[in-house]
Amino acid sequence: MPLLTIFTPAYNRANTIERTYRSLCGQSCKDFIWLVVDDGSTDNTEELIKKWEKFDNGFEIQYIYKENGGMHTAHNVAYENIVTELNVCIDSDDYMPPNAVELIKNCWYQNRDRNYSGIIALDFADSTKKVIGKELPTDRESITLSGYYNEGGFGDKKLIYRTDVIKSTPQYPVFEGEKYVALAYKYHLIDEKYELKILNECVCIVDYQTDGSSANMYRQYMRNPKGFAFWRKEQMKHSVNLRQKFKACIHYVSSSLLSNNKHFIKESPEKFLTVIAVPFGLVLKKVILVKSKASYMKVKGIN
């Protein structure tokens, strides 16, 4: 049994996923399985994966097709099917440096008996080949993901989790007609019980796409208000200070208004703060409407 599963959610990324595949073929250590969860692609993603399965890659390729439901549902399917000790998500427009799996394996074998939930490592940007955001602390062995951000850290980081730990958390919820729930939901739950071993090395190179979710966040707010409201409630429960909690309340109000939820105050875990946040949430809702329209017009090329 390999140590690691590298899973890749894919939706119409036939134009970029070959780079992901080539980077896996070039790994100095092949102690992994590559699991591709095809989230309802209509391009030739399946054809490519089926072709690569026939090659002597040095690692096993697994392919699962599902109806389109969004990134979080692809993660649900991946976690249902992963059987290796560790797992990591490498998106279909990203790729790994040649020593990435070797770094992960060596780090884990040196620390697997210390009850970590996994490893937190660095992402580099494809455009600069430099760390995204801020590097990880060098004055300690481990940290939680939320602790890193609460201490002033920023930028995407690569999370390599123990499969038994990630499976012990609830699945990402699915809201009818929506396709987004923050992946951080599971990570915050894990943070309450475990820390991550710090690996201040790059294991993933990220190439942000103009049509990706990060580049279209305001449209995501519009399209998935119930998913965002769910996440904001979770943030209220797990926030470490009043400022974070109130910010979550403002976002919760705006998402609830966008979904026409008339019972959002009653459903809030912080009812008093939510009432205070209503005027700010109304303003944020208007901002989202304007920004979402501008984003849509930019994509369509409308002046």
Side-chain angles (χ1 to χ4, degrees):
M1 175 66 66
L3 172 70
L4 176 70
T5 293
I6 299 168
F7 71 94
T8 299
Y11 177 66
N12 289 344
R13 282 285 186 258
N15 61 320
T16 62
I17 198 171
E18 183 166 358
R19 182 174 57 179
T20 310
Y21 166 68
R22 296 297 176 194
S23 77
L24 301 184
C25 291
Q27 290 299 305
S28 58
C29 173
K30 300 288 184 70
D31 194 13
F32 64 89
I33 295 169
W34 187 32
L35 169 61
V36 179
V37 180
D38 188 338
D39 190 32
S41 295
T42 56
D43 61 6
N44 63 324
T45 295
E46 180 176 6
E47 179 183 341
L48 286 173
I49 305 302
K50 295 295 184 181
K51 178 180 71 173
W52 297 333
E53 280 181 325
K54 299 175 183 178
F55 297 159
D56 183 11
N57 302 295
F59 56 90
E60 180 185 352
I61 297 177
Q62 299 174 353
Y63 174 82
I64 299 175
Y65 180 89
K66 61 178 286 295
E67 292 186 7
N68 181 246
M71 179 73 77
H72 65 298
T73 63
H75 276 241
N76 282 341
V77 171
Y79 295 139
E80 289 172 356
N81 288 275
I82 292 171
V83 296
T84 55
E85 184 175 354
L86 299 178
N87 67 84
V88 62
C89 176
I90 302 295
D91 289 337
S92 54
D93 43 15
D94 301 338
Y95 57 102
M96 302 182 83
N99 64 339
V101 174
E102 186 174 1
L103 286 170
I104 292 169
K105 181 177 181 178
N106 290 342
C107 178
W108 188 246
Y109 279 165
Q110 293 168 16
N111 296 278
R112 73 195 311 180
D113 61 345
R114 300 180 67 179
N115 200 34
Y116 292 134
S117 59
I119 299 168
I120 181 169
L122 300 178
D123 282 343
F124 277 18
D126 178 67
S127 58
T128 64
K129 300 302 187 293
K130 295 181 180 180
V131 64
I132 296 174
K134 187 178 180 180
E135 289 194 0
L136 296 162
T138 57
D139 60 348
R140 70 191 79 176
E141 290 288 318
S142 62
I143 197 169
T144 63
L145 180 64
S146 54
Y148 166 73
Y149 291 121
N150 290 336
E151 293 175 16
F154 62 96
D156 290 337
K157 296 293 171 282
K158 188 52 58 185
L159 305 172
I160 304 99
Y161 276 113
R162 276 171 41 196
T163 300
D164 64 323
V165 170
I166 202 80
K167 285 189 173 186
S168 70
T169 59
Q171 284 197 335
Y172 293 108
V174 178
F175 298 97
E176 186 176 357
E178 297 191 6
K179 297 181 180 180
Y180 184 93
V181 169
L183 298 178
Y185 164 58
K186 279 179 172 280
Y187 310 154
H188 276 236
L189 294 177
I190 292 171
D191 280 352
E192 295 181 342
K193 297 181 180 179
Y194 302 93
E195 290 198 342
L196 291 152
K197 168 62 183 174
I198 293 173
L199 175 60
N200 244 320
E201 299 277 358
C202 172
V203 299
C204 181
I205 301 174
V206 177
D207 188 6
Y208 294 110
Q209 303 295 307
T210 56
D211 61 343
S213 61
S214 298
N216 296 281
M217 190 52 66
Y218 286 106
R219 293 170 68 193
Q220 295 280 21
Y221 289 150
M222 284 291 298
R223 294 172 176 173
N224 308 282
K226 293 178 183 177
F228 276 101
F230 165 81
W231 170 232
R232 302 309 180 186
K233 286 194 289 185
E234 291 299 312
Q235 286 183 308
M236 290 183 218
K237 297 174 187 176
H238 304 290
S239 295
V240 296
N241 57 53
L242 184 61
R243 180 179 179 181
Q244 285 186 353
K245 193 167 290 188
F246 189 58
K247 182 179 178 181
C249 286
I250 293 171
H251 280 272
Y252 171 68
V253 170
S254 67
S255 295
S256 299
L257 293 174
L258 288 169
S259 67
N260 297 315
N261 179 11
K262 299 178 181 179
H263 308 289
F264 68 91
I265 294 176
K266 180 180 179 181
E267 296 170 1
S268 171
E270 295 287 344
K271 295 177 177 57
F272 179 70
L273 278 181
T274 300
V275 171
I276 297 174
V278 168
F280 303 95
L282 282 166
V283 172
L284 179 57
K285 176 190 173 184
K286 292 180 181 179
V287 171
I288 290 171
L289 290 170
V290 172
K291 294 284 189 178
S292 176
K293 183 178 179 180
S295 175
Y296 174 80
M297 293 176 69
K298 182 178 180 181
V299 170
K300 295 297 182 180
I302 302 172
N303 294 325

